[in-house]
Amino acid sequence: MNELAIIGGTGALDLFPGGDERVLETDWGDPSANVVRVRLGQYKAWFLARHGRPHRLPPHRIDYRANIDGLRRLGVKRVVAINAVGAVDPGLAPGSLVIPDQLVDYTWGRAHTFSDDGRHPLEHVEFAKPFEGPLRSALLAAGQAADIGLVDGGCIAVTQGPRLETAAEIRRLARDGCDLVGMTAMPEVSLAREAGIDYASLCVVANPGAGLEEEPISLEEIHQVLSSAMISVQDLLAHLSL
């Protein structure tokens, strides 16, 4: 079985109506939540709430190993990750949908491999193109089919959170070549690579990075942008052809 799963974070919790639930079995403890069976267009997929149901887990407290291992044991071979992000590139307006192709990891202290307990073989996965695979191409094709403008490519900086970044940190990320900043892509994507899962990220730009505008970042405005953008995300996924 070549199952698809959606991992959703901020703004995506209520995107898909609840269906049948399944408890995930893992080698790493409890995942963030039970998976829910949802319909995407003409086919079904699993949905996993990255931050739990209700939304409660900060990015650095998510058990990414349990989430990915649970999906792998369920038979999932493909994951679309919905990531709410900030814009480092001032040309990316709030509400933009970006399919990144690169990342820089600024996190620390997160369990980022299955290969550190002696029970699992040591893996040195190839990771030069962290999001490359058929699923990424399928997302871009779905954007064309749905007439939804997608930004093809971009580098996402993954920071520790849960606080937002300082203006100086955003300037540093720009100097490092990053276009976006989020808190949850790592180690989720690298663990998926270890597990043999094709993983693509769909980034929803929720706000400009700190210091890119004169006004402070408003969490209320972030939620408003995400609520509006998720309509396009739902339409995009309904046009996904696998």
Side-chain angles (χ1 to χ4, degrees):
M1 187 178 295
N2 204 12
E3 289 276 14
L4 170 72
I6 311 295
I7 302 179
T10 305
L13 188 58
D14 299 319
L15 187 61
F16 305 101
D20 294 336
E21 292 193 16
R22 181 79 62 87
V23 176
L24 291 179
E25 298 180 357
T26 92
D27 290 339
W28 305 95
D30 294 331
S32 297
N34 294 342
V35 290
V36 180
R37 200 65 165 162
V38 298
R39 178 167 291 279
L40 302 176
Q42 300 301 310
Y43 58 92
K44 292 183 177 180
W46 295 104
F47 177 77
L48 173 62
R50 183 186 287 116
H51 296 278
R53 300 177 73 100
H55 186 101
R56 69 188 188 281
L57 296 170
H60 65 292
R61 291 296 187 189
I62 295 168
D63 193 333
Y64 297 94
R65 290 192 297 192
N67 287 350
I68 295 297
D69 184 57
L71 292 176
R72 178 192 62 81
R73 290 164 63 103
L74 191 61
V76 167
K77 294 296 184 182
R78 296 169 291 196
V79 165
V80 173
I82 303 172
N83 301 100
V85 299
V88 177
D89 179 351
L92 293 172
S96 298
L97 302 182
V98 184
I99 312 296
D101 59 354
Q102 278 298 330
L103 67 82
V104 180
D105 185 9
Y106 298 91
T107 66
W108 68 91
R110 302 184 184 189
H112 62 277
T113 179
F114 296 115
S115 301
D116 64 355
D117 68 341
R119 294 180 299 159
H120 296 77
L122 179 60
E123 296 278 356
H124 297 283
V125 295
E126 202 281 332
F127 205 54
K129 297 181 178 180
F131 301 106
E132 190 70 19
L135 186 56
R136 184 178 184 278
S137 299
L139 277 177
L140 293 170
Q144 290 185 329
D147 196 23
I148 295 173
L150 299 177
V151 179
D152 180 3
C155 181
I156 181 172
V158 190
T159 57
Q160 184 73 352
R163 67 166 178 85
L164 301 183
E165 297 73 33
T166 68
E169 288 170 333
I170 292 296
R171 292 194 296 269
R172 175 199 177 189
L173 300 182
R175 291 193 299 269
D176 286 352
C178 298
D179 305 292
L180 307 159
V181 57
M183 302 175 188
T184 54
M186 285 293 291
E188 198 171 83
V189 58
S190 60
L191 289 168
R193 181 66 59 90
E194 280 193 31
I197 294 173
D198 185 7
Y199 180 108
S201 172
L202 171 57
C203 289
V204 183
V205 177
N207 58 277
L212 296 183
E213 293 190 343
E214 293 185 3
E215 297 297 321
I217 295 173
S218 165
L219 293 181
E220 181 179 353
E221 290 180 3
I222 286 176
H223 290 301
Q224 289 175 351
V225 169
L226 290 176
S227 179
S228 177
M230 287 303 166
I231 298 173
S232 295
V233 169
Q234 197 168 31
D235 190 23
L236 175 71
L237 294 177
H239 283 82
L240 192 60
S241 179
L242 302 172

